Amino acid sequence: LELDKDFQRKLIHGYYAATSYIDAQIGKVVAKLKEKGLDKNTIIVLWGDHGWHLGDKMRYKKYTLWEEACKTPLVIKAPGLTQPGSRCPSPVNLLDLYPTLSELAGLPINTENEGNSIVPLLKDVNTEWDIPSLTTMGFNRHTVRNKKWRYISYGGNQEELYNHDVDTMEFTNLA
């Protein structure tokens, strides 16, 4: 899909404007928590349900199994645990939120539910993490991602493999 450059700029501008607006609203919530003295005992979790292509690979959408569509925003502030401005390089899954929040709140974890607590990563973003993240989009279409690799299977004989150490934009399919 080839789009006019001015139209592309408008699309990206709109995306960034929406992101800035949400950021400002989150700032108001955090400021109110601080004003009320609740910031010292409130866990804040922000996440999105998908990433978004902004023209990379000629796409302006979310429905792919590549990094830009599968990588979602996930921000966690746990008082006394997380460090301001820290970023974790290890992929995790949104299924990990339930056991993580249960652990942070001191609640029992239902072991029949899926997911892994990421509290070790919240304590130290550089903790060794060898649990891959699985994303499914549609029937028989999956991707598995760890810190170094992304493997995609579209079912049948179609597959892709990317080494993120050297190809963060996933341009060279090693499969």
Side-chain angles (χ1 to χ4, degrees):
L1 175 64
E2 191 72 33
L3 298 177
D4 173 82
K5 293 286 183 201
D6 286 334
F7 187 63
Q8 288 179 39
R9 274 192 285 280
K10 286 179 183 177
L11 285 173
I12 294 170
H13 176 80
Y15 183 88
Y16 287 157
T19 302
S20 293
Y21 177 78
I22 284 295
D23 186 55
Q25 303 317 302
I26 293 166
K28 289 178 182 180
V29 171
V30 171
K32 188 58 83 171
L33 287 170
K34 285 182 181 179
E35 176 187 312
K36 299 286 184 185
L38 299 172
D39 60 311
K40 302 288 189 258
N41 67 352
T42 301
I43 300 166
I44 299 172
V45 182
L46 305 167
W47 73 94
D49 66 336
H50 58 80
W52 195 265
H53 290 277
L54 290 174
D56 51 293
K57 297 191 180 191
M58 301 300 290
R59 287 166 173 77
Y60 290 87
K61 64 180 188 174
K62 63 181 179 180
Y63 299 108
T64 74
L65 289 171
W66 292 313
E67 182 77 3
E68 294 305 315
C70 291
K71 185 176 182 178
T72 66
L74 176 59
V75 178
I76 300 175
K77 179 195 171 289
L81 190 64
T82 54
Q83 298 301 311
S86 60
R87 294 181 61 112
C88 180
S90 298
V92 298
N93 200 290
L94 294 179
L95 287 172
D96 299 333
L97 286 175
Y98 166 76
T100 301
L101 290 173
S102 294
E103 183 177 341
L104 289 172
L107 298 172
I109 296 173
N110 180 347
T111 56
E112 292 183 22
N113 287 15
E114 296 182 45
N116 301 285
S117 173
I118 61 171
V119 167
L121 292 172
L122 297 178
K123 290 178 180 176
D124 179 0
V125 296
N126 295 310
T127 296
E128 192 61 36
W129 188 259
D130 63 354
I131 301 169
S133 180
L134 170 69
T135 302
T136 298
M137 186 192 66
F139 177 73
N140 211 20
R141 299 178 60 181
H142 313 282
T143 182
V144 178
R145 174 81 159 86
N146 66 17
K147 202 182 288 189
K148 182 175 180 177
W149 300 98
R150 174 178 300 282
Y151 172 74
I152 301 172
S153 173
Y154 297 101
N157 296 354
Q158 290 183 294
E159 57 187 6
E160 299 176 19
L161 178 66
Y162 300 99
N163 179 343
H164 274 252
D165 283 351
V166 295
D167 184 16
T168 58
M169 293 301 294
E170 300 175 343
F171 287 129
T172 304
N173 180 3
L174 301 172

